[in-house]
Amino acid sequence: MEKNTDKKTDLAKMKQLALAVLALAVVLFFVAHHYKIAWLKAFSEAAMVGGIADWFAVVALFKHPLGIPIPHTALIPNNKDAIGENLGNFVSDEFLIKEKLEVKIDEFDFATKATNWLKEEKNAQNISNLISENVIPGILKTIDDTDVKQFLQTQFEAKLQEINFSEWLAIGLESVFNGEKQSKAISKIIGILASELQASKEEIREKVKKSTPWYTLGVADKKIADGVFNGLYEFLLMANEPESTIRKKINLYLMDFIADLKNSVEMQEKVNSLIVDFAQRPEMQDYIGSIWQDLKSAVLSDLEKGEESRIKITIAKTIQNFGMNIQNDTVMMAKINTFVRVDLLDILIRNKHAIGNLIATSVQSWDKKEIAEKLELEVGKDLQFIRINGTVVGGIVGLIIYCVEQFI
């Protein structure tokens, strides 16, 4: 947008300069006529004719001079379809030629140029800005949150059903309850249970008191509670003895449980079903669904930091590192150049007519006024020199003719 503004300003200045040169010729004409200066009159007359003629020619390319629909004026807008077709044919027939392109591609060394460009910090930042400010927010706005949550929940459940949790659990228990580790682990568990039991002594008494009939008047409460507590505590102490019968039964139970986890299809189905059922609970489903929302919020929040965004910085560094790593890999560089020279070139050649048609239809789809304004903006500044040259050269030619007449 800013470039177009600059071009419009430059074009307006050149038009004013060309008009000023023509105006000068008009002034010189009146001066020559008033003071009867024959050679100046010849110069100014020819200059005016040349300037006006070239003004007409330049304007006639883009519009009707003075808005009058003179035949063979407004050439570009009236012939835009033919221009588009000819331009498309020129590109496909004269530019997209395999032999010419192969030479240019070999000279260009695309892989080196591309990697050098990517290594530049400014270029990497520009790409990162484009991705961070347009691509990522655009994708996040386009994606439906409900669909993503449903997708995550479905995929999570599917992955859970593929995993044999029973086998994992067996491996984990084997590593914990293995030889000397098993004895220490059981002792640790029993010690924890004993400590918890000791800490819950008063709570046991309260529960026993609530459970005994009212007519006992609380006489037996303490004895019953102490009996329950002491019985449980003694059981744990016995279980903690390495050679006790209880300890051996616990060891045997653990080994049988681990073996069932590894070999029993029924046990595996129970464990896996238990975990899958847990994952299907509404609380878990809501948590899984919230992962996407949290991730989305985190990404958008980071991007709002501008130049301090970690995502933006990471993308830029990744692009630079990619360029450097590729450039250091001679095999990959050769593959890139081969791809451009063989595969990409083959695609271009096979679709050369489609490319030509695309150019033609694009030009033909433009509005007449639009195409005239676009082209005038691009070449109009240089065309104003034709008007200036026409005025100056016309005056010189007029002066030469006057001199020839005087000599004859």
Side-chain angles (χ1 to χ4, degrees):
M1 195 67 168
E2 188 175 336
K3 286 184 178 180
N4 284 344
T5 303
D6 292 340
K7 288 179 180 180
K8 287 180 180 178
T9 303
D10 293 340
L11 178 59
K13 288 180 179 179
M14 286 304 302
K15 284 183 175 181
Q16 290 171 2
L17 178 59
L19 183 61
V21 173
L22 179 59
L24 178 60
V26 174
V27 172
L28 291 176
F29 171 78
F30 284 109
V31 170
H33 182 74
H34 180 74
Y35 291 103
K36 309 299 182 181
I37 305 173
W39 67 268
L40 185 58
K41 183 178 181 182
F43 174 85
S44 58
E45 283 178 344
M48 287 190 295
V49 171
I52 293 171
D54 285 336
W55 165 81
F56 182 90
V58 170
V59 173
L61 288 172
F62 305 105
K63 61 187 76 171
H64 297 298
L66 302 176
I68 302 171
I70 302 170
H72 303 293
T73 58
L75 297 176
I76 289 175
N78 288 334
N79 294 278
K80 71 179 183 68
D81 292 349
I83 292 172
E85 185 175 352
N86 290 332
L87 180 61
N89 290 336
F90 173 78
V91 171
S92 62
D93 296 338
E94 301 297 331
F95 182 74
L96 295 177
I97 298 175
K98 186 174 183 180
E99 291 74 15
K100 291 183 179 180
L101 290 177
E102 282 179 339
V103 174
K104 291 298 181 183
I105 288 172
D106 289 339
E107 292 175 355
F108 185 70
D109 189 4
F110 177 82
T112 301
K113 293 287 194 305
T115 50
N116 282 338
W117 192 85
L118 290 173
K119 281 170 27 179
E120 291 290 333
E121 183 179 356
K122 181 181 178 181
N123 298 328
Q125 287 178 346
N126 287 337
I127 298 174
S128 177
N129 290 339
L130 176 65
I131 295 173
S132 303
E133 296 172 7
N134 297 293
V135 178
I136 296 177
I139 292 173
L140 292 179
K141 289 178 181 178
T142 303
I143 295 174
D144 188 285
D145 292 345
T146 304
D147 292 340
V148 176
K149 290 178 181 178
Q150 183 63 42
F151 174 78
L152 289 175
Q153 292 166 353
T154 304
Q155 291 299 311
F156 182 72
E157 184 177 336
K159 292 298 180 184
L160 284 181
Q161 292 175 347
E162 294 175 3
I163 299 173
N164 189 346
F165 288 99
S166 181
E167 185 177 352
W168 283 17
L169 182 58
I171 293 172
L173 290 175
E174 276 186 331
S175 65
V176 175
F177 300 106
N178 185 16
E180 187 178 345
K181 289 183 180 179
Q182 176 177 329
S183 178
K184 289 182 179 180
I186 294 175
S187 297
K188 185 70 174 178
I189 294 171
I190 292 174
I192 293 172
L193 290 174
S195 298
E196 290 298 319
L197 181 65
Q198 188 72 34
S200 304
K201 189 172 183 179
E202 291 302 322
E203 187 176 348
I204 292 173
R205 284 177 177 173
E206 288 297 321
K207 288 186 178 296
V208 170
K209 184 178 180 180
K210 290 179 181 179
S211 300
T212 53
W214 63 271
Y215 51 79
T216 62
L217 301 177
V219 176
D221 292 351
K222 187 175 182 303
K223 289 186 177 181
I224 295 173
D226 289 343
V228 171
F229 174 79
N230 292 333
L232 290 172
Y233 196 75
E234 288 177 9
F235 174 82
L236 291 176
L237 291 177
M238 290 176 60
N240 207 22
E241 293 294 328
E243 300 300 325
S244 67
T245 303
I246 297 172
R247 183 64 166 262
K248 291 178 181 179
K249 287 182 177 180
I250 293 174
N251 288 338
L252 183 61
Y253 172 79
L254 284 173
M255 299 308 295
D256 289 343
F257 180 68
I258 292 173
D260 286 343
L261 288 174
K262 293 173 66 177
N263 305 314
S264 172
V265 176
E266 183 180 357
M267 177 64 77
Q268 291 176 359
E269 289 178 350
K270 285 182 179 180
V271 172
N272 292 340
S273 177
L274 180 66
I275 294 175
V276 171
D277 289 345
F278 175 75
Q280 291 176 338
R281 292 176 62 87
E283 297 87 349
M284 278 298 295
Q285 292 290 304
D286 290 342
Y287 173 74
I288 295 168
S290 69
I291 292 174
W292 163 248
Q293 199 62 46
D294 293 341
L295 176 62
K296 180 179 177 180
S297 298
V299 169
L300 292 175
S301 176
D302 181 79
L303 293 178
E304 288 175 355
K305 297 178 181 178
E307 297 304 318
E308 296 181 359
S309 166
R310 294 188 62 83
I311 294 175
K312 186 180 290 189
I313 294 171
T314 302
I315 292 173
K317 287 182 178 178
T318 301
I319 291 169
Q320 281 188 280
N321 291 334
F322 176 77
M324 288 186 285
N325 292 335
I326 292 294
Q327 198 166 72
N328 294 330
D329 189 337
T330 53
V331 176
M332 184 58 69
M333 292 284 284
K335 285 183 177 179
I336 293 173
N337 279 334
T338 301
F339 168 77
V340 174
R341 190 177 189 277
V342 178
D343 299 317
L344 188 58
L345 181 58
D346 182 60
I347 293 172
L348 286 174
I349 298 303
R350 282 192 286 108
N351 294 279
K352 57 188 287 186
H353 294 298
I355 295 172
N357 289 335
L358 176 62
I359 294 172
T361 53
S362 296
V363 174
Q364 290 166 2
S365 66
W366 292 347
D367 179 77
K368 289 184 177 182
K369 183 179 179 182
E370 179 185 5
I371 189 173
E373 290 176 348
K374 284 179 180 290
L375 290 177
E376 186 177 16
L377 206 58
E378 296 299 327
V379 300
K381 179 182 175 182
D382 294 325
L383 290 178
Q384 301 312 308
F385 283 106
I386 295 177
R387 294 175 56 190
I388 296 172
N389 293 336
T391 305
V392 175
V393 173
I396 294 172
V397 171
L399 187 58
I400 292 172
I401 294 172
Y402 171 78
C403 292
V404 171
E405 286 180 344
Q406 294 303 311
F407 177 75
I408 294 174

